[in-house]
């Protein structure tokens, strides 16, 4: 139930209120208890109280409180009651029981709290002047306890003031916070609010917060200065004039209101803002009803305050004067009357002649002539208004009718025009009405387009009769039109290309068109001498000539290319008699033939191997299509024939064939082997014509002619084949092999070993290809161990039979070499006696077995292959002759290879499985 939940909430709150703690259990033997003793309940909430005693049989009991009760539950020694709608700030319920004629009591404390549901910020002023203080007041009615309240006044999110009401009486409710704030410009449009916090977390409850509805502050600043009003002092009825009203120091200027009025007429201004300045512009138009003195008013209002300016304006009416002609258009020689009149208050003047008094007109009479046509008359009226003199005027033009006149200044008798640019042909006639003029060609009847912009062409040249006509009569005049034009050199009179034949006679002449008649001269490019008269044509006459035609209208120039043609001819430098073709060069025979037009050239073989064969020729000029390059060419004699339309020429060419050097794997192997001590020679031969020379080098140093090979000669060599047509190179890797040499044979420990001790013999050989190692041991030496490559011989538990000479032999495809070493096994012999009969019997048995083995072996002298020498006793004879090498590596006789003489010696060689 909601009430029960609130009771439990109050119970938990009471447990957290340590400073409200009261003694729960009386010191008497019997007591009464009330739970919860201290409770904090939200205003209007409910709470269950449990009243109990330890009296075995209480007479009666109950719960005394002024609060409303909703339900009760009982037991023998307890009573539970629900209190509802708890609104008192603080009450003290009493639990009592009657026991053994005594009254047992327990007193509790119930306090209520109310959330800050209503947070009210007192309304702000509608407008607040900048720089003046205003009051912020916040009210939180009913919330409490007040001692747990904190109020804050905020500008936007900025906290202006914060106050805690800690220490107030527990029964106090509600709070008010007031602050005085200075209004600033930046506060305009800012939101102010109040935030309330009821902090019941120390009592086991939460933090309850609420804020007021924000209120916007509007600040303003209004300058004490009056607006500046700009307006005309005089305003004519029906005219429109601009009126300006400006004021600085406004904030916010956009909120300001402007009232502009002319008398009772309100104007509609356009407002312009710039920073804190305001300008209102309106158009004032006065009516006839407003004539007289009026006031122009400008009022600027902001924040409930206003600034006002007034100016005086005089509204007046002034009509323009009236200028009349008795006849605006009259024939020449007729009288005309001109009259200038205005309203009664105005004084008029006609062409500088004033009226006698204001209000009277002025008249002028005129006997018209041709010169009076388009004469203007000026009528001016003046009026004084409010100390100022105003002027208005009117003008009129008189038209006099007369017959046409064709003057030489307006229609000359002779016209000369340059051809080309557009011109306007004019033959103007005077007359009124304006005469129409037309000019007709006397010899052809064509008409000139007078007064129109058009191109001037040479076809317009000729004599024309011009006639001017209007209603008053006509006038006639003959005019001559001459069109001059610049020279022109066309392909008929001056062709761009001229061909001459060597040895003939010719001349260079160009005819030009133009007016006046042009003068034509031709000069060779880069020279100054003018070409004139007949010439005997030679090749040096070929080239480009500059022909120029000149007259008063300009000049024209043209390049004329003269080509001199001649029959074919050969030159040795451009078409050699002997030519060598190199295989793979991609070259073709180049034979340039002199001749114009370019001769056709063909070379055909006439020898044994080249009979009827066409010799491929290099094209005379670069071509986009690559020429066909032959893979082979037949040497021999070729006949070359050059032909054009002016003749032919023949030349004989001897062709030989050569080739650049070539080497490959078969003529120069990339891997070669030398033997140490022999003469060094690289087997490299190159093909080519002429025969190439081959030189080999290592790191740039040439190979000596008589080189004895050493191991240091192994490496990479570069062999270069050279002949006049190129080079070819190959890299050759040389490996050096050498005979075996036992470089080291050593015993460990050196100097001998005691019986039962261990020793090791190490044999190191130098050879290429790598040598195979074999050993020869003393007769009767058993239990010998060899390493995987036979380089180490080891004995564990040496016996007397292990003493003697050991030989190590190294063998490869190029020879054999061996060295010997003597091992001494010596020391005290007491170990034999201590061994007893058993040791002696074992020794005798071993000796007998060894003797039987030696007698039964098919090959007692020679070399043996020992398989798994560490554990196997089997040996295979390798060399029954027992031959070997001497100490220096040479081959020794069979009867001198072993030592000591007369003994049986076995050489054992271990090979890997």
């Amino acid at each position: 139930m909601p009430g029960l939940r609130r009771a439990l909430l109050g119970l938990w709150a009471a447990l957290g209120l340590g400073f409200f703690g009261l003694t729960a259990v009386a010191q008497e033997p019997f007591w009464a208890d009330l739970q919860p003793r201290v409770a904090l309940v939200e205003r209007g909430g409910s709470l269950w109280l449990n009243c109990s005693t330890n009296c075995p049989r209480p007479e009666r009991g109950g719960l005394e409180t002024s609060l409303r009760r909703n339900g009760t539950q009982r037991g023998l020694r307890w009573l539970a009651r629900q209190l509802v709608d708890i609104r008192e700030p603080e009450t003290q319920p009493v639990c009592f029981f009657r026991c053994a004629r005594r009254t047992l009591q327990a007193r509790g404390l119930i306090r209520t709290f109310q959330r800050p549901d209503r947070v009210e910020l007192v309304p702000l002023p509608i407008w607040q002047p900048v720089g003046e203080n205003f009051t912020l007041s916040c009210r939180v009615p009913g919330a409490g306890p007040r001692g747990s309240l904190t109020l804050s006044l905020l500008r936007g999110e900025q906290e202006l003031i914060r106050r805690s009401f800690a220490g107030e009486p527990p029964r106090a409710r509600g709070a008010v916070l007031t602050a005085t704030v200075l209004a600033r410009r930046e506060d305009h449009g800012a939101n102010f609010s109040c935030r309330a916090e009821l902090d019941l977390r120390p009592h086991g409850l939460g933090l309850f917060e609420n804020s007021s509805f924000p209120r916007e502050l509007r600040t303003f600043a209004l300058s004490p200065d009056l607006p500046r009003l700009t307006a005309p002092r005089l305003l004519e009825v029906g005219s429109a004039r601009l009126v300006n009203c400006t004021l600085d120091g406004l904030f916010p200027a956009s909120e300001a209101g402007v009232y502009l009025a002319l008398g009772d007429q309100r104007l509609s201004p356009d407002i312009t803002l710039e920073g804190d300045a305001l300008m209102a512009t309106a158009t004032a138009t006065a009516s006839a009803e407003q004539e007289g003195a009026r006031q122009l008013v400008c009022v600027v209002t902001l924040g409930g305050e206003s600034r006002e300016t007034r100016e005086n304006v005089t509204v007046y009416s002034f009509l323009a004067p009236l200028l009349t002609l008795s006849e605006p258009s009259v024939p020449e020689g007729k009288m005309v009357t001109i009259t200038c009149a205005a309203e009664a208050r105005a004084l008029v003047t006609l062409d500088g002649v004033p009226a006698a008094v204001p209000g009277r007109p002025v008249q002028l009479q005129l006997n018209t002539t041709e010169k009076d046509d388009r004469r203007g008359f000026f009528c001016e009226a003046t009026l004084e208004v409010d100390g100022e003199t105003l002027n208005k005027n009117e003008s009129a033009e008189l038209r006099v009718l007369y017959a046409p006149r064709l003057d030489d200044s307006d229609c000359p008798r002779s016209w000369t025009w340059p051809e080309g640019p557009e011109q306007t042909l004019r033959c103007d006639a005077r007359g009124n009405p304006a005469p129409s003029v037309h000019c007709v060609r006397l010899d052809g009847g064509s008409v000139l387009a007078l007064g129109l912009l058009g191109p001037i062409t040479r076809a317009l040249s000729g004599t024309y009769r011009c006639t001017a006509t209007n209603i008053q009569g006509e006038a006639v005049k003959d005019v001559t039109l001459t069109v001059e034009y610049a020279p022109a050199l066309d392909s008929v009179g001056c062709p761009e290309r001229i061909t001459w034949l060597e040895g003939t006679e010719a001349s260079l002449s160009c005819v030009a068109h133009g007016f006046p008649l042009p003068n034509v001269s031709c000069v060779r490019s880069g020279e100054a001498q003018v070409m004139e008269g007949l010439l005997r044509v030679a090749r040096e006459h070929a080239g480009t000539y500059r022909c120029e035609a000149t007259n008063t209208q300009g000049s024209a120039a043209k390049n004329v290319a003269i080509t001199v043609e001649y029959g074919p001819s050969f030159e040795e430098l451009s078409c050699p008699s002997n030519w060598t073709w190199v295989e793979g060069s991609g070259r073709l025979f180049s034979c340039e033939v002199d001749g114009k037009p370019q001769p056709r050239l063909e070379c055909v073989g006439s020898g044994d191997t080249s009979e009827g064969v066409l010799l491929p020729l290099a094209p005379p000029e670069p071509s986009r299509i690559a020429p066909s390059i032959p893979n082979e060419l037949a040497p021999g004699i070729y006949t070359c024939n050059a032909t054009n339309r002016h003749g032919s020429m023949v030349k004989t060419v001897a062709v030989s064939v050569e080739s650049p050097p070539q080497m490959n794997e078969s003529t120069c192997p990339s891997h070669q082997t030398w033997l140490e001590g022999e003469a060094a020679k690289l087997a490299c031969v190159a093909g080519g014509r002429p025969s190439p020379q081959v030189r080999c080098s290592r790191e740039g140093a040439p190979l000596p002619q008589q080189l004895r090979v050493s191991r240091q000669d192994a490496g990479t060599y570069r062999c270069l084949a050279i002949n006049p047509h190129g080079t070819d190179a190959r890299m050759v890797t040389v490996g050096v092999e050498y005979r075996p040499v036992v470089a080291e044979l050593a015993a460990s420990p050196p100097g001998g070993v005691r019986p039962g001790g261990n020793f090791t013999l190490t044999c190191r050989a130098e050879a290429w290809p790598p040598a195979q190692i074999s050993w020869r041991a003393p007769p009767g030496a058993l239990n010998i161990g060899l390493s995987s490559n036979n380089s180490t011989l080891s004995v564990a538990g040496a016996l007397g039979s292990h003493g003697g000479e050991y030989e190590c032999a190294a063998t490869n495809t190029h020879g054999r070499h061996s060295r010997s070493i003597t091992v001494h096994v010596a020391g005290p012999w007491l170990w034999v006696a201590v061994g007893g009969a058993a040791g002696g019997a074992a020794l005798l048995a071993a000796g007998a077995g060894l003797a039987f083995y030696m007698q039964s072996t098919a090959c007692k002298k020679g070399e043996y292959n020992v398989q798994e020498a560490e554990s196997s006793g089997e040996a295979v004879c390798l060399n029954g002759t027992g031959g070997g090498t001497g100490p220096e590596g040479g081959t020794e006789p069979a009867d001198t290879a072993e030592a000591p003489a007369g003994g049986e010696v076995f050489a054992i060689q271990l090979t890997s499985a």
Side-chain angles (χ1 to χ4, degrees):
M1 295 185 301
L4 183 58
R5 285 197 299 270
R6 292 189 179 183
L8 293 176
L9 180 64
L11 176 61
W12 282 107
L15 293 177
L17 297 172
F19 62 90
F20 286 129
L22 299 175
T23 304
V25 180
Q27 300 298 321
E28 295 89 351
F30 299 111
W31 43 259
D33 186 28
L34 179 62
Q35 292 296 332
R37 281 295 183 91
V38 178
L40 187 62
V41 182
E42 186 171 4
R43 187 172 185 271
S46 61
L47 175 68
W48 280 88
L49 291 180
N50 187 6
C51 177
S52 61
T53 182
N54 64 345
C55 179
R57 298 185 66 86
E59 298 175 11
R60 61 185 179 88
L63 182 66
E64 292 182 355
T65 178
S66 60
L67 301 176
R68 289 177 54 195
R69 292 167 286 186
N70 187 36
T72 303
Q73 298 178 5
R74 288 180 177 277
L76 177 63
R77 291 181 291 177
W78 62 274
L79 168 68
R81 181 165 294 162
Q82 184 184 28
L83 305 180
V84 296
D85 195 20
I86 304 173
R87 296 183 176 276
E88 293 294 329
E90 182 178 296
T91 59
Q92 294 185 2
V94 177
C95 168
F96 67 91
F97 285 95
R98 184 72 178 171
C99 179
R101 293 181 298 174
R102 291 184 59 199
T103 300
L104 307 177
Q105 287 186 351
R107 189 178 298 274
L109 178 62
I110 300 175
R111 287 178 176 164
T112 60
F113 72 90
Q114 184 172 340
R115 306 185 192 208
D117 294 328
R118 289 174 55 200
V119 181
E120 300 172 354
L121 184 67
V122 174
L124 301 176
I126 297 176
W127 284 97
Q128 174 64 34
V130 173
E132 297 183 10
N133 292 327
F134 66 98
T135 301
L136 288 177
S137 181
C138 175
R139 297 188 302 113
V140 187
R146 187 185 300 163
S148 299
L149 267 177
T150 300
L151 298 184
S152 302
L153 292 173
L154 306 173
R155 180 196 290 121
E157 298 296 328
Q158 178 189 3
E159 190 175 83
L160 299 177
I161 186 172
R162 181 182 178 89
R163 180 182 173 186
S164 172
F165 293 89
E168 292 285 333
R171 300 179 64 86
R173 295 291 186 271
V176 176
L177 177 60
T178 301
T180 300
V181 181
L182 180 66
R184 307 172 303 169
R185 279 196 175 203
E186 52 266 34
D187 291 335
H188 179 69
N191 287 324
F192 289 82
S193 62
C194 175
R195 183 174 63 226
E197 301 173 3
L198 180 64
D199 191 0
L200 299 180
R201 289 175 293 186
H203 308 309
L205 299 177
L207 174 66
F208 302 97
E209 293 180 296
N210 195 11
S211 296
S212 69
F213 185 80
R215 295 188 182 276
E216 182 181 5
L217 180 66
R218 302 170 72 192
T219 63
F220 77 97
L222 181 59
S223 171
D225 299 333
L226 297 179
R228 297 184 297 278
L229 187 58
T230 304
R233 196 168 65 85
L234 302 176
L235 182 60
E236 186 177 5
V237 172
S239 65
R241 300 288 298 275
L242 287 179
V243 176
N244 292 327
C245 179
T246 59
L247 181 62
D248 297 333
L250 291 172
F251 174 80
S254 59
E255 299 286 344
V258 179
Y259 172 80
L260 264 176
L262 175 62
D264 297 334
Q265 177 190 1
R266 182 166 182 172
L267 307 180
S268 300
D270 293 328
I271 308 298
T272 304
L273 304 177
E274 185 175 350
D276 291 347
L278 176 147
M279 181 173 71
T281 303
T283 301
T285 303
S287 61
E289 292 79 7
Q290 293 176 305
E291 188 171 357
R294 293 287 182 269
Q295 276 199 335
L296 184 67
V297 181
C298 176
V299 180
V300 179
T301 304
L302 179 62
E305 299 181 12
S306 62
R307 301 288 185 267
E308 179 179 327
T309 298
R310 295 176 178 266
E311 292 288 345
N312 292 325
V313 176
T314 300
V315 178
Y316 69 95
S317 176
F318 182 22
L319 298 178
L322 181 63
L323 178 63
T324 58
L325 302 176
S326 59
E327 291 187 58
S329 179
V330 296
E332 186 178 16
K334 190 174 181 179
M335 294 295 294
V336 175
T337 301
I338 301 97
T339 304
C340 174
E343 62 180 82
R345 296 175 299 164
L347 179 67
V348 296
T349 302
L350 177 60
D351 282 353
V353 178
V357 293
R360 283 191 181 181
V362 178
Q363 285 189 341
L364 175 66
Q365 288 189 336
L366 180 68
N367 186 15
T368 60
T369 65
E370 173 192 344
K371 295 181 180 179
D372 293 324
D373 184 39
R374 295 187 179 277
R375 178 178 174 180
F377 298 92
F378 187 77
C379 174
E380 182 182 25
T382 58
L383 178 67
E384 184 175 343
V385 178
D386 196 17
E388 285 191 21
T389 300
L390 304 179
N391 297 282
K392 284 194 175 182
N393 55 69
E394 190 68 38
S395 62
E397 184 181 72
L398 175 64
R399 298 305 308 272
V400 177
L401 306 178
Y402 61 95
R405 274 88 162 168
L406 286 171
D407 300 330
D408 288 343
S409 60
D410 298 326
C411 186
R413 297 182 180 276
S414 178
W415 294 338
T416 299
W417 293 94
E419 184 184 38
E422 291 187 336
Q423 301 286 346
T424 301
L425 300 178
R426 292 191 178 278
C427 179
D428 295 330
R430 293 187 296 110
N432 192 20
S436 63
V437 180
H438 65 281
C439 297
V440 181
R441 191 166 183 164
L442 294 179
D443 59 353
S446 61
V447 179
L448 280 180
L450 298 176
L452 299 177
L453 183 65
I456 302 301
T457 65
R458 60 195 71 176
L460 295 178
S461 297
T463 301
Y464 295 81
R465 175 157 292 172
C466 297
T467 303
T469 306
N470 68 4
I471 59 176
Q472 300 295 320
E474 69 174 16
V476 178
K477 189 176 190 179
D478 290 339
V479 298
T480 302
L481 174 61
T482 301
V483 177
E484 295 183 350
Y485 51 96
L489 292 169
D490 57 21
S491 298
V492 176
C494 190
E496 290 84 359
R497 296 183 181 276
I498 300 176
T499 301
W500 292 343
L501 180 62
E502 186 179 34
T504 62
E505 288 187 346
S507 65
L508 178 58
S509 61
C510 276
V511 177
H513 303 284
F515 189 85
L517 187 65
N519 178 37
V520 182
S521 62
C522 295
V523 178
R524 186 167 185 170
S525 297
E527 299 179 3
Q529 184 178 359
V530 176
M531 194 171 184
E532 296 177 337
L534 287 175
L535 299 173
R536 174 66 63 178
V537 177
R539 298 185 189 181
E540 56 268 21
H541 290 141
T544 301
Y545 292 80
R546 183 77 170 172
C547 294
E548 185 174 13
T550 307
N551 69 3
T552 57
Q553 293 301 316
S555 63
K558 188 174 187 178
N559 288 332
V560 178
I562 294 182
T563 304
V564 176
E565 295 188 350
Y566 47 90
S569 63
F570 290 99
E571 295 290 340
E572 183 63 24
L573 289 177
S574 59
C575 186
S577 301
N578 293 284
W579 182 64
T580 300
W581 180 70
V582 181
E583 290 182 6
S585 65
R587 292 176 55 239
L588 297 174
F589 180 57
S590 176
C591 181
E592 296 181 4
V593 184
D594 193 14
K596 282 189 185 274
Q598 179 66 36
R600 179 178 178 275
L601 179 63
E602 186 178 66
C603 297
V604 181
S606 58
D608 294 337
T609 60
S610 62
E611 183 69 34
V613 176
L614 282 176
L615 180 63
L617 300 175
E621 295 180 356
S623 174
R624 293 184 179 179
I625 302 175
S628 176
I629 308 298
N631 295 326
E632 58 182 21
L633 186 65
I637 303 300
Y638 289 81
T639 300
C640 296
N641 186 14
T643 305
N644 69 3
R645 61 174 172 257
H646 301 301
S648 62
M649 182 68 70
V650 175
K651 182 171 185 174
T652 301
V653 178
V655 176
S656 59
V657 177
E658 295 183 358
S659 61
Q662 285 186 340
M663 292 187 294
N664 53 34
E665 188 66 25
S666 62
T667 61
C668 185
S670 58
H671 290 82
Q672 301 184 26
T673 302
W674 291 347
L675 182 61
E676 187 178 35
E678 295 184 356
K681 184 177 182 182
L682 280 171
C684 277
V685 179
R689 289 190 298 271
S691 181
Q693 184 180 2
V694 180
R695 292 187 178 91
C696 296
S697 62
R698 183 181 181 187
E699 297 180 355
L703 187 67
Q705 294 296 324
Q706 300 295 330
L707 171 66
R708 291 292 175 182
V709 176
S710 67
R711 301 176 194 179
Q712 288 74 26
D713 295 328
T716 301
Y717 292 78
R718 184 175 184 271
C719 293
L720 184 66
I722 303 173
N723 74 359
H725 303 302
T727 61
D728 191 16
R730 279 184 69 81
M731 304 302 295
V732 179
T733 301
V734 175
V736 176
E737 297 185 353
Y738 44 90
R739 298 175 181 86
V741 174
V742 177
E744 179 184 358
L745 181 59
S748 178
V753 63
R754 292 177 177 276
N758 302 331
F759 69 89
T760 301
L761 301 181
T762 302
C763 181
R764 183 177 61 82
E766 295 179 356
W768 193 260
Q772 291 187 345
I773 305 297
S774 63
W775 293 88
R776 182 171 60 81
L782 301 177
N783 297 327
I784 294 176
L786 296 175
S787 63
S788 61
N789 61 355
N790 289 1
S791 63
T792 302
L793 182 149
S794 59
V795 173
L799 302 176
S801 60
H802 290 109
E805 186 178 70
Y806 291 80
E807 180 185 80
C808 173
T811 307
N812 71 359
T813 56
H814 300 298
R816 182 177 186 275
H817 182 261
S818 67
R819 288 181 63 178
S820 299
I821 188 171
T822 302
V823 176
H824 299 280
V825 179
W829 293 89
L830 293 177
W831 61 275
V832 178
V834 175
L843 183 58
L844 290 175
L850 178 60
F852 176 78
Y853 173 75
M854 291 180 180
Q855 294 298 328
S856 61
T857 302
C859 182
K860 295 184 179 179
K861 181 188 294 184
E863 295 182 356
Y864 290 80
N865 185 0
V866 179
Q867 302 290 339
E868 299 178 358
E870 296 292 342
S871 60
S872 174
E874 300 180 0
V876 179
C877 177
L878 297 177
N879 186 0
T881 63
T885 59
E888 298 304 321
T891 304
E892 295 180 346
D895 57 353
T896 62
E898 294 85 9
E904 292 183 328
V905 178
F906 299 89
I908 302 173
Q909 179 182 11
L910 179 67
T911 59
S912 60

